[in-house]
């Protein structure tokens, strides 16, 4: 992972989690979506959150229900997310290895989905600032190990 990609992505996620939308926009502009490592740190954080939300794993039915509930909770913008693509993200979440079937999301939509779902999971799990920092540190360690 490049020396700038990892901290910038983790700063991006940290800004989102703290509702610092100006910082989020600035950090987003600093990322190169064509880079080979784009989205790895955010994906690592998402995988950790999925593992915390579903510590014993989740059945396809549980994932489908969770995605339907998530999309139903969005007042606007739900049409931007393909339910099947979100289900695949959850299915592959902990390991990041591609789930079988269906078309894969491109790097930008994938990272956007990871960010939105991560925000939802952090709020649902009730992770405060200290736990969020721990999550970001663990994601950094996983992303650099990948």
């Amino acid at each position: 992972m490049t020396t700038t990609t990892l901290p910038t992505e983790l700063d991006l996620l940290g800004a989102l989690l703290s509702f610092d939308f100006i910082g989020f926009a600035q950090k987003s502009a600093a990322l190169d979506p064509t880079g080979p490592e784009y989205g790895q740190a955010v994906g690592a954080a998402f995988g950790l959150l999925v593992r915390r939300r579903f510590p014993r794993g989740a059945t396809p039915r549980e994932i489908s229900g969770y995605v339907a509930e998530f999309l139903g909770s969005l007042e606007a913008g739900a049409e931007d997310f393909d339910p099947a693509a979100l289900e695949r993200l959850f299915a592959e979440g902990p390991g990041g290895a591609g789930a079988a079937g269906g078309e894969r999301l491109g790097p930008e939509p994938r990272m956007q989905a990871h960010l939105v779902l991560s925000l939802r999971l952090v709020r649902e799990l009730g992770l405060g600032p200290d736990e969020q920092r721990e999550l970001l540190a663990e994601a950094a360690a996983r992303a650099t190990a990948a």
Side-chain angles (χ1 to χ4, degrees):
M1 174 142 299
T2 63
T3 56
T4 58
T5 302
L6 178 65
T8 303
E9 278 191 25
L10 294 172
D11 287 348
L12 173 80
L13 183 58
L16 180 69
L17 297 177
S18 65
F19 291 96
D20 173 10
F21 296 116
I22 292 172
F24 178 79
Q26 291 170 338
K27 306 261 186 260
S28 294
L31 291 173
D32 177 10
T34 63
E37 297 160 338
Y38 180 79
Q40 286 183 1
V42 171
F46 174 73
L48 292 165
L49 288 164
V50 170
R51 201 170 295 125
R52 288 182 186 178
R53 171 59 177 84
F54 300 105
R56 290 182 282 289
T59 65
R61 185 180 186 141
E62 288 173 305
I63 291 171
S64 180
Y66 187 85
V67 167
E69 178 187 326
F70 164 74
L71 291 174
S73 72
L74 297 177
E75 290 182 15
E79 64 277 0
D80 294 342
F81 296 103
D82 172 35
L86 295 183
E87 289 175 19
R88 282 191 300 280
L89 288 178
F90 273 96
E92 67 189 33
E103 191 175 315
R104 305 230 352 128
L105 289 174
E108 285 186 271
R110 181 182 189 83
M111 186 162 161
Q112 290 169 359
H114 278 160
L115 286 167
V116 171
L117 291 167
S118 292
L119 180 61
R120 163 75 180 237
L121 288 166
V122 164
R123 299 297 172 232
E124 181 181 317
L125 294 168
L127 301 184
D130 290 340
E131 291 102 348
Q132 291 173 25
R133 282 189 288 279
E134 290 172 15
L135 169 73
L136 295 175
E138 191 173 346
R142 289 185 183 256
T144 55

